[in-house]
Amino acid sequence: MRILVVEDERDLREIVTQTLNLNGYRVFQAVDGNNALQIWSQYQKDIDLLFTDIVMPGGLNGRELADRLLVEKPGLKVVFTTGYDADALDKNYKLVPGLNYLPKPYLPQDLARIVRRRLDENHAC
């Protein structure tokens, strides 16, 4: 399984990547939404899950990124994360902790658990 991780904080992005690699996933790393679109254009068919911060620099937030990718690949699984109050940030998505939303800060085992759960589900986003 392959995961596109979109996180602007370098240290956290590295920890997420290491955690996912240790759990047997291949990870593509992006620093923001625009970088994620570049990676997506090359590896779209290989990516099974998008793990994205909701708030990012560069003019394309995590929700907008997910919307764009889901148009191209409706079966894509998505997990959102943020250190902000997700309800205040995004009323368009139903963000459910433990299902499609992992609030920061989180433990590596929580990351591994939510990713596995999303990949095992039968429906997208």
Side-chain angles (χ1 to χ4, degrees), residues 7-25:
E7 171 60 57
D8 59 298
E9 188 180 319
R10 183 181 57 83
D11 291 342
L12 182 54
R13 188 173 59 250
E14 289 299 325
I15 291 168
V16 168
T17 297
Q18 289 174 358
T19 299
L20 294 173
N21 284 336
L22 287 172
N23 282 275
Y25 303 108

Side-chain angles (χ1 to χ4, degrees), residues 65-80:
L65 174 64
D67 284 346
R68 288 178 70 167
L69 301 188
L70 284 164
V71 166
E72 296 179 30
K73 189 171 186 175
L76 180 68
K77 306 297 177 81
V78 179
V79 175
F80 296 99

Side-chain angles (χ1 to χ4, degrees), residues 8 27 36 46 49 54 61 68 75 78 93 101 111 118 122:
D8 59 298
V27 177
D46 299 323
L49 184 139
I54 295 173
N61 68 39
R68 288 178 70 167
V78 179
Y93 275 98
Y101 169 60
L111 170 63
R118 285 298 285 148
N122 293 327

Side-chain angles (χ1 to χ4, degrees), residues 3-8 13 28-44 47 49-53 56-58 60-62 64-66 68-69 72 76:
I3 300 171
L4 175 55
V5 171
V6 188
E7 171 60 57
D8 59 298
R13 188 173 59 250
F28 298 96
Q29 294 184 39
V31 299
D32 61 26
N34 292 319
N35 183 213
L37 289 175
Q38 293 170 343
I39 293 167
W40 180 259
S41 70
Q42 294 179 359
Y43 300 102
Q44 169 185 345
I47 297 171
L49 184 139
L50 170 66
F51 182 78
T52 183
D53 196 348
M56 293 182 291
L60 185 65
N61 68 39
E64 294 164 337
L65 174 64
R68 288 178 70 167
L69 301 188
E72 296 179 30
L76 180 68

